[in-house]
Amino acid sequence: MARPRYTFLKNKNLPDLKWSLLLSTVSLAVMAVLLLISFFRKGQGFAASGAFGLGGFLLALYSFVTSMRILVRRPEHLRLPAFCTIYAGGLFIGWLSLLLLGLNQ
């Protein structure tokens, strides 16, 4: 009997991966909005922007950990978890660099 061709459709971790991708996208949207607010206010942000920034930072970190856990658990389905891990890791590094730039000043 032939093996089914579309084995990625049977992946049980797909909802977790979608959730991780959604959280990464929300984190990117928060980063874009906060960067625009900071640009238009000439770097004079308000306290709520710091709280939203911390929330976006934590979303990116959680998304990275979730997608990395899926990648380690199921290495045979590599493409989508690897993309999500790289995406969330890049956002995490972006948030970390913004945090360090803010602490520098």
Side-chain angles (χ1 to χ4, degrees):
M1 181 138 224
R3 275 184 39 193
R5 293 179 67 192
Y6 302 108
T7 58
F8 65 90
L9 294 175
K10 296 179 184 179
N11 192 355
K12 294 178 181 163
N13 295 322
L14 204 56
D16 292 338
L17 197 60
K18 287 180 182 178
W19 184 248
S20 177
L21 196 58
L22 176 71
L23 290 178
S24 294
T25 305
V26 168
S27 177
L28 180 65
V30 167
M31 181 187 286
V33 167
L34 289 179
L35 285 174
L36 284 174
I37 289 173
S38 178
F39 176 73
F40 287 124
R41 293 185 51 113
K42 295 182 179 41
Q44 301 298 322
F46 47 95
S49 67
F52 285 128
L54 183 63
F57 176 78
L58 292 175
L59 282 177
L61 177 65
Y62 179 73
S63 176
F64 176 74
V65 169
T66 303
S67 58
M68 193 65 165
R69 189 177 309 145
I70 292 169
L71 188 64
V72 167
R73 217 179 327 160
R74 303 282 299 216
E76 63 269 6
H77 302 290
L78 191 64
R79 187 174 297 156
L80 192 58
F83 169 74
C84 193
T85 303
I86 292 169
Y87 180 53
L91 281 172
F92 179 69
I93 290 171
W95 278 112
L96 194 59
S97 64
L98 285 177
L99 176 74
L100 292 176
L101 281 172
L103 290 177
N104 190 23
Q105 294 185 9

